[in-house]
Amino acid sequence: MDTNENLLSRITINPNIMVGKPTIRGMRITVEQILRALSSGITEKELLEEYPELEKKDFQAVFAYATNLVEEEQIFPVHISA
């Protein structure tokens, strides 16, 4: 089983690729594209058929990356005086 660190190494950020959005292994496939497709009902199998350069581990990497973002998220209440 891959460690979280190994999975996250599959997610790359390069300002010269997709304007610096996180991509999968430096390809022009963004984490956002994969999450958007999956959330709209497209299956991993369908994505693997559409993008044969993707690997099953890439999906795990996308989920690990998203998990880290949510994990680090902090909410601070804002109190407005009338």
Side-chain angles (χ1 to χ4, degrees):
M1 182 172 184
D2 278 323
T3 66
N4 198 38
E5 188 175 311
N6 285 342
L7 288 172
L8 290 175
S9 70
R10 290 176 165 264
I11 305 300
T12 57
I13 297 173
N14 180 333
N16 297 317
I17 300 173
M18 301 301 285
V19 296
K21 289 188 176 221
T23 62
I24 298 169
R25 295 182 288 121
M27 296 183 287
R28 299 184 66 76
I29 303 170
T30 65
V31 168
E32 178 185 359
Q33 282 175 281
I34 298 301
L35 290 172
R36 190 174 305 280
L38 292 169
S39 70
S40 71
I42 297 173
T43 66
E44 285 184 23
K45 182 181 179 203
E46 290 170 319
L47 287 169
L48 287 167
E49 289 170 2
E50 186 172 338
Y51 300 102
E53 61 273 27
L54 284 177
E55 300 171 2
K56 281 285 261 179
K57 295 269 185 216
D58 294 327
F59 294 101
Q60 290 176 286
V62 166
F63 297 137
Y65 183 83
T67 299
N68 279 1
L69 289 178
V70 172
E71 189 175 70
E72 294 174 9
E73 184 177 9
Q74 295 182 5
I75 307 295
F76 298 99
V78 176
H79 299 284
I80 301 174
S81 300

